[in-house]
Amino acid sequence: LPPYPYAIHLVDQFEDYIGYEYFWYLRREFRTRLESTYKHPQSASSRDRTWLCRLLVVLALGETYNSTVAPSIEFRDDAPSQRSNRPLVSAQPPPGVAFFEQAMLLFKTPFEEATTDHVEVLNLMAFYSYSLGRRKSAYVHAGLAMRIASSLMLHNPHVAKDFSPSDIEHSRRLWWMTYQLDAMTGSEIGLNSTFDFEEIEAKLGLPTDDNLSAEDHDNFTISTIFTAHIRLCSARSGILSVASAELSGADDDQLEVMLRRPMHVIEEWRRQLHSTINFEFSNGIPATMISKPECRSLASLYLRFHQVTTGNSMDSLSQC
């Protein structure tokens, strides 16, 4: 593991950049366990393979958003080289790849003993692979996460009826995060999501802050951005489904008819945005949005919206 201050910096980067429009883990519990891992590295909790995998992939993703140089100690022979005076040139690996490779070595694919921890790890692995353009790897990780989430019945509210409000919301958000990655990575290779968005929404409900206590809020970010992102990516998947199934050789009139419903969903998405994240940009980025800690996630959300509504190629739809 890296030095503790650098680890904290990477976690901060990770949460600042992609911690609001996605749900990755319970925030307060993650930070508490991170501190314990550095204070008590020999404890059973600190040496748990699944926990270390999750931490390492978070660090890997944090490095992809990091602009500082990672601390390192270089061991070398001070004697001049007899072979060549030219500096060695090597290809620079992608940011975070060293952490990710460590995580992959530690990870054991679960079957009968799978837990929500495994779902969270696989979601992180899927997103890191996706960020590097490894589309098939991302889809496989996301697919395994979806299978485990399904086997745990995270999409069935009756299973969680005796849980605390915090545990219920954890299960709900983890399910939607897994659904989102499954849809996002599947669309990259021309496959639809495993589950129907409207059916699950009716059964499970979307993420909400309503039943969380003040203490619980330390574990979760506000649900409005995450929910808006889920809806937007679902609408985008609908457009891609129409495009892949029906638009081959269609003329302009047919194109308009086929895309009418999914584009209506996009328009409704914009109108139904929660008032706390609903902004107009006719005079630039509003100061109230810039002042929010989740500003980067909001900017990313609106960028995706405009890519979907104004993009002239399918490539613009692949950024959700």
Side-chain angles (χ1 to χ4, degrees):
L1 293 177
Y4 182 67
Y6 186 60
I8 291 296
H9 171 70
L10 293 183
V11 174
D12 288 342
Q13 291 292 97
F14 170 77
E15 292 185 350
D16 285 347
Y17 277 87
I18 53 173
Y20 292 92
E21 73 264 47
Y22 299 103
F23 174 78
W24 302 108
Y25 47 70
L26 297 173
R27 284 192 164 201
R28 185 185 66 246
E29 292 185 11
F30 183 91
R31 296 275 183 159
T32 300
R33 194 165 183 181
L34 172 61
E35 182 179 355
S36 176
T37 298
Y38 277 84
K39 285 184 175 179
H40 310 288
Q42 299 303 319
S43 69
S45 175
S46 299
R47 297 172 68 86
D48 178 75
R49 295 171 69 104
T50 307
W51 154 248
L52 289 173
C53 287
R54 181 168 45 169
L55 173 58
L56 286 165
V57 186
V58 168
L59 297 178
L61 284 163
E63 272 205 343
T64 66
Y65 298 98
N66 183 39
S67 60
T68 62
V69 178
S72 63
I73 301 174
E74 182 179 357
F75 296 94
R76 64 182 182 183
D77 186 354
D78 289 333
S81 173
Q82 301 299 319
R83 291 176 295 177
S84 173
N85 292 324
R86 292 179 298 174
L88 294 176
V89 178
S90 59
Q92 189 72 16
V97 72
F99 291 131
F100 186 72
E101 288 177 348
Q102 288 183 63
M104 292 297 294
L105 289 173
L106 285 172
F107 187 70
K108 295 179 67 175
T109 303
F111 292 101
E112 296 299 324
E113 304 299 327
T115 67
T116 55
D117 288 345
H118 294 102
V119 179
E120 291 178 353
V121 172
L122 286 162
N123 283 345
L124 288 160
M125 288 180 170
F127 195 86
Y128 183 79
S129 299
Y130 182 82
S131 70
L132 294 186
R134 298 173 179 172
R135 297 185 297 175
K136 292 181 180 179
S137 296
Y139 181 67
V140 170
H141 289 312
L144 182 54
M146 177 57 82
R147 290 292 177 270
I148 295 174
S150 300
S151 70
L152 295 173
M153 303 298 287
L154 297 185
H155 59 304
N156 189 336
H158 298 294
V159 173
K161 63 181 180 180
D162 296 325
F163 291 2
S164 69
S166 177
D167 289 339
I168 291 173
E169 189 59 24
H170 180 207
S171 296
R172 179 188 289 120
R173 294 197 189 196
L174 184 55
W175 168 264
W176 281 117
M177 181 66 208
T178 309
Y179 163 86
Q180 191 174 3
L181 284 171
D182 182 55
M184 184 172 72
T185 58
S187 66
E188 289 291 316
I189 56 176
L191 298 173
N192 293 329
S193 174
T194 308
F195 288 85
D196 179 73
F197 171 80
E198 293 180 353
E199 178 184 348
I200 300 300
E201 181 187 13
K203 179 190 295 185
L204 183 62
L206 289 169
T208 177
D209 303 322
D210 292 346
N211 298 317
L212 297 177
S213 67
E215 183 180 2
D216 291 336
H217 281 286
D218 291 341
N219 266 328
F220 301 92
T221 59
I222 55 173
S223 63
T224 49
I225 301 176
F226 182 36
T227 299
H229 193 222
I230 293 169
R231 288 188 179 278
L232 181 61
C233 282
S234 175
R236 164 191 169 271
S237 295
I239 294 174
L240 289 173
S241 295
V242 171
S244 61
E246 302 182 55
L247 295 188
S248 178
D251 59 31
D252 290 345
D253 291 337
Q254 291 173 315
L255 177 66
E256 182 179 355
V257 171
M258 292 172 183
L259 289 177
R260 189 172 296 161
R261 184 179 182 279
M263 289 308 297
H264 174 72
V265 173
I266 293 290
E267 293 166 1
E268 283 296 304
W269 177 90
R270 183 67 176 88
R271 283 193 289 268
Q272 294 175 3
L273 274 180
H274 193 275
S275 59
T276 58
I277 60 171
N278 198 335
F279 299 98
E280 294 295 334
F281 299 91
S282 54
N283 296 316
I285 302 177
T288 51
M289 176 176 156
I290 294 175
S291 65
K292 290 179 175 289
E294 60 270 22
C295 176
R296 290 187 180 93
S297 291
L298 286 169
S300 177
L301 183 69
Y302 277 99
L303 176 62
R304 293 185 181 103
F305 167 72
H306 287 291
Q307 285 176 331
V308 172
T309 55
T310 63
N312 294 317
S313 70
M314 298 312 296
D315 288 342
S316 68
L317 295 175
S318 66
Q319 302 302 315
C320 281

